[in-house]
Amino acid sequence: MDTSSKTAALLQKLLQFKTVNPPGDTAAIARFLKQQFEPLGAKIDLVQAPRADGPVHFVARLRGDGSKKPVLLAAHSDVVPVEPDRWSVDPFAGVIRDGYVLGRGAMDFKGGLAVFARAVMMLAENKVPLARDVILLSEGDEESGPHGARWLADQRWDLIEAEFALNEGGWIFRDGRGTARQVNITVRDKNTIVLRLTARGAPTHSAWPGLAPHTAIGRLIIALARLVAREPQPMMTELTQGYFAALSRTTEPPLAGWFHTLATSPDAAAREAAGRRIVEEGAYPMLWHALMRNTLAITMLNGGIKENVIPGSAEAKLNIRLLPGQGLDEAMAYVREVIADDGIRIDAPAFASLDEARADLHVRTNRPASSTETALYRSLKAHAERIWPEAEVTPALFEAGTDATAWRLRGVPVYGVYPYPLDNETMVRMHGNDERIEIAALDQGTDWVYSVLVDVAGRS
């Protein structure tokens, strides 16, 4: 067991708070963080969401001399639910095994919170003179709920306004030898829209299923089967072209050649074939699959009132992640074409109307990517190249959604990192069983983020 890592020790404590969302009760972990930061002279604010058992957002601020605008580090302390009987350890004990810290949130994103927190704490412990305020946000409602970073920005923008921000996002890829070969710093995210399919039919006795394809559940099953059987085609944007081109330089043949084809070929069939080979034989198949196309996942089903009744309605929710430039109309047109059933209703349940959903997506997809010409991006790149000298650093698209929207919508550049090198086995445990993060990777990430903060926030 490595007893020297202060970041791992902090992470162990963070994992012991059961911040599963829902309900997302993060009050206790916010109080714990307050106890860590107050003795260091940080100004602390705790912001309670308007729910009795709801999230508490923790904000710590180390004061600079005000000659530069603040830098923000944003992480979240809530985690997704667990299936404890499928874990080999207690998911809320912070167990260390074989050089890894295990627990729900170890990777997403209490590991990142521990790295960010330790880096900020080190500024105070080392008495680094600051030219700008350094703000640490531990956000309490990222995984599920209406009171996340966008709510906080609307309510208390004064607490989290900054010149630029660091958030969760880009991956640091390792090769088969454990060497970091690519550091991805995400400068924009895919946009998420949840669509609901509702099928209706005549309710009747379950003894009379002869019209099964025309019942609500029958129609819905046929529509969903068509969606599962069809895969959206690869689509390249300027950002993903650069990302896959970088992968062609940091991987070995034949994978490198397939990445080159995917990034550069004008032939759609060639890109599709290359994408298929990458997913079949690449080291990070799920990630690369998601970055080369819009994706659609059926995540919720609801139908039936009793085992002997054919119900009159059934519904499913589709979680759709869109590449930049894609909006609600493109998403709905794709679903309509594939299901081939005009009788199934499609709506966006998070919005009052499709027009509202369309407008929201339009704003999000048309925000420019965060600039790579800021002091924060340049420092992230320079110190990544120092710590991982065999890696190529590249701006990237994040395949999921993050808190970054709250700042990007206000014109604040946000850079996403999972601040630790990862292998595929660690990545696939995210939101899964025996989630983990390597102690050595935590320490490398802490070195990286601390050095960057000294660069961009310290007085020269």
Side-chain angles (χ1 to χ4, degrees):
M1 173 177 169
D2 186 336
T3 59
S4 64
S5 173
K6 291 184 178 180
T7 305
L10 176 60
L11 175 57
Q12 285 182 278
K13 293 177 181 177
L14 297 175
L15 291 171
Q16 291 164 16
F17 292 93
K18 294 185 179 181
T19 56
V20 172
N21 196 352
D25 184 353
T26 53
I29 198 170
R31 291 192 297 269
F32 168 77
L33 288 169
K34 181 179 180 181
Q35 293 168 0
Q36 309 309 303
F37 276 87
E38 271 191 334
L40 300 174
K43 178 183 180 297
I44 307 299
D45 287 279
L46 303 182
V47 182
Q48 169 76 57
R51 298 201 319 261
D53 63 345
V56 173
H57 304 294
F58 167 87
V59 185
R61 182 184 295 257
L62 294 182
R63 292 288 189 187
D65 64 18
S67 58
K68 296 180 181 179
K69 290 186 66 176
V71 57
L72 171 82
L73 295 89
H76 64 88
S77 59
D78 61 324
V79 298
V80 298
V82 299
E83 298 173 288
D85 58 318
R86 301 187 65 182
W87 284 59
S88 67
V89 298
D90 181 345
F92 299 105
V95 172
I96 288 181
R97 186 172 70 192
D98 300 328
Y100 289 84
V101 185
L102 283 78
R104 172 56 84 225
M107 178 185 164
D108 179 27
F109 190 65
K110 286 182 176 178
L113 175 58
V115 168
F116 289 177
R118 272 303 305 157
V120 176
M121 293 166 76
M122 288 166 64
L123 292 176
E125 291 166 355
N126 296 336
K127 297 180 170 54
V128 176
L130 300 176
R132 64 172 95 232
D133 291 1
V134 177
I135 306 168
L136 174 71
L137 167 65
S138 175
E139 191 259 291
D141 207 19
E142 193 270 349
E143 292 291 3
S144 172
H147 300 112
R150 291 180 73 173
W151 175 85
L152 181 62
D154 289 339
Q155 301 297 315
R156 294 300 308 271
W157 180 240
D158 60 301
L159 295 180
I160 57 173
E161 183 179 7
E163 180 177 340
F164 33 53
L166 191 60
N167 187 49
E168 69 177 318
W171 311 105
I172 304 173
F173 291 142
R174 284 175 165 163
D175 63 18
R177 297 169 296 145
T179 302
R181 295 298 308 277
Q182 186 163 331
V183 177
N184 300 305
I185 301 173
T186 49
V187 294
R188 71 183 307 169
D189 298 348
K190 275 181 140 181
N191 289 305
T192 304
I193 183 70
V194 175
L195 296 182
R196 178 171 55 192
L197 305 188
T198 303
R200 299 195 183 280
T204 188
H205 197 289
S206 61
W208 305 323
L211 298 179
H214 305 286
T215 66
I217 288 180
R219 293 181 72 179
L220 185 63
I221 287 173
I222 291 170
L224 297 180
R226 289 170 177 162
L227 286 170
V228 170
R230 174 87 68 90
E231 183 166 80
Q233 296 298 304
M235 297 171 59
M236 290 295 102
T237 69
E238 183 178 350
L239 189 58
T240 54
Q241 279 182 316
Y243 168 80
F244 286 117
L247 279 169
S248 74
R249 297 188 293 270
T250 58
T251 53
E252 302 296 326
L255 194 59
W258 300 330
F259 279 126
H260 180 76
T261 298
L262 183 64
T264 63
S265 176
D267 184 342
R271 291 197 306 271
E272 182 182 2
R276 188 165 54 251
R277 296 300 299 273
I278 288 166
V279 171
E280 289 171 352
E281 302 187 34
Y284 301 90
M286 293 186 298
L287 169 64
W288 291 334
H289 175 275
L291 284 173
M292 65 179 75
R293 54 174 53 82
N294 297 331
T295 61
L296 181 152
I298 303 163
T299 55
M300 297 184 73
L301 295 171
N302 185 32
I305 55 173
K306 200 171 187 293
E307 64 272 11
N308 63 348
V309 175
I310 293 176
S313 66
E315 67 178 41
K317 288 185 179 178
L318 314 178
N319 188 287
I320 300 175
R321 310 289 174 132
L322 298 168
L323 292 167
Q326 299 282 293
L328 180 69
D329 292 333
E330 288 83 0
M332 291 190 64
Y334 174 80
V335 173
R336 276 274 175 233
E337 176 194 352
V338 175
I339 67 174
D341 187 343
D342 291 337
I344 291 181
R345 180 173 180 264
I346 305 176
D347 69 341
F351 298 91
S353 67
L354 288 176
D355 284 343
E356 182 182 306
R358 183 176 291 107
D360 181 81
L361 259 181
H362 179 78
V363 170
R364 284 188 280 146
T365 199
N366 284 284
R367 291 299 307 177
S370 298
S371 170
T372 58
E373 298 302 318
T374 66
L376 181 54
Y377 183 88
R378 288 194 294 267
S379 185
L380 285 165
K381 184 175 188 296
H383 285 287
E385 290 170 342
R386 171 182 62 83
I387 296 169
W388 302 291
E390 296 185 56
E392 179 165 345
V393 181
T394 185
L397 173 73
F398 193 54
E399 75 278 6
T402 71
D403 287 333
T405 300
W407 292 273
R408 289 197 180 120
L409 288 177
R410 290 166 171 77
V412 175
V414 182
Y415 305 101
V417 296
Y418 274 82
Y420 16 69
L422 299 162
D423 54 30
N424 189 58
E425 175 61 25
T426 296
M427 285 187 66
V428 299
R429 297 186 188 199
M430 178 179 177
H431 286 202
N433 303 321
D434 282 358
E435 185 179 350
R436 69 182 191 181
I437 197 69
E438 188 183 40
I439 293 173
L442 287 168
D443 290 339
Q444 290 173 23
T446 305
D447 177 12
W448 185 30
V449 176
Y450 173 73
S451 300
V452 167
L453 290 178
V454 171
D455 257 5
V456 301
R459 287 205 304 264
S460 54

